Amino acid sequence: MKVGENAPDFVLKDQNGEDFRLSDFRGKKVLLSFHPLAWTGICEKQMKALEENHERFEGLNAVPVGISVDAVPSKKAWAEHIGLKKLRILSDFWPHGEVAKLYGLFREKDGFSERANVLIDENGKIAFFKVYPIREVPDLEEVFEVLRD
């Protein structure tokens, strides 16, 4: 996927079993923050950073969400465990990794996604797309820079 391309639409369940449909957020920017697996340290830091910056995102007309291949019950338990109150974390569990595959981010040999941030603009186009080293917490300031422009 490249900046300027249309972002593929999808529907996934969040940690509470509620549908999240990307196209329902037209008129807002959406940050899809892909992370490999729940219950891992770097993924926890990545999701907590989104939670801690939730108001900053809202102030810039943006909605952050986390996405991994974990099942809804696991996502729910993990969200409670790490204290997520506002952030929605989406389950790309079945068909396994389907959304990660749509965005070219699924690691077939590992069975999970790359660690990546994909920012979608108000019109459903990709505004920012970056894959990070698997052991690195993504830099949110890069995303905020694009959101402010």
Side-chain angles (χ1 to χ4, degrees):
M1 303 246 51
K2 293 183 178 76
V3 170
E5 289 183 349
N6 287 323
D9 196 17
F10 63 85
V11 180
L12 290 176
K13 300 270 187 215
D14 69 11
Q15 69 266 38
N16 297 312
E18 302 287 324
D19 280 351
F20 177 97
R21 180 182 309 275
L22 181 61
S23 57
D24 287 349
F25 291 87
R26 288 285 157 81
K28 288 186 176 284
K29 298 169 192 132
V30 179
L31 174 64
L32 305 177
S33 194
F34 288 87
H35 59 103
L37 294 166
W39 304 99
T40 59
I42 297 166
C43 294
E44 180 175 330
K45 287 178 182 155
Q46 184 179 347
M47 294 303 102
K48 282 183 163 181
L50 295 173
E51 176 81 12
E52 289 160 8
N53 285 282
H54 209 274
E55 285 75 24
R56 277 179 80 189
F57 281 108
E58 286 178 339
L60 294 164
N61 192 36
V63 177
V65 293
I67 302 178
S68 73
V69 297
D70 301 277
V72 170
S74 177
K75 301 279 294 201
K76 182 165 183 61
W78 188 53
E80 290 170 0
H81 176 74
I82 65 174
L84 301 181
K85 303 277 187 246
K86 296 176 182 147
L87 182 68
R88 295 176 75 179
I89 52 176
L90 311 180
S91 172
D92 194 13
F93 180 71
W94 200 257
H96 191 73
E98 183 176 51
V99 173
K101 288 173 187 169
L102 273 177
Y103 284 82
L105 294 169
F106 193 72
R107 295 167 63 125
E108 287 289 342
K109 68 182 182 345
D110 298 315
F112 54 72
S113 77
E114 297 282 1
R115 187 175 311 283
N117 278 331
V118 180
L119 182 64
I120 298 157
D121 73 14
E122 301 92 336
N123 301 310
K125 295 202 181 295
I126 295 177
F128 177 86
F129 186 98
K130 184 169 179 182
V131 175
Y132 298 84
I134 211 80
R135 300 200 179 284
E136 184 180 299
V137 178
D139 180 5
L140 282 182
E141 291 311 314
E142 294 174 317
V143 175
F144 284 120
E145 207 172 288
V146 174
L147 284 170
R148 284 190 297 266
D149 286 347

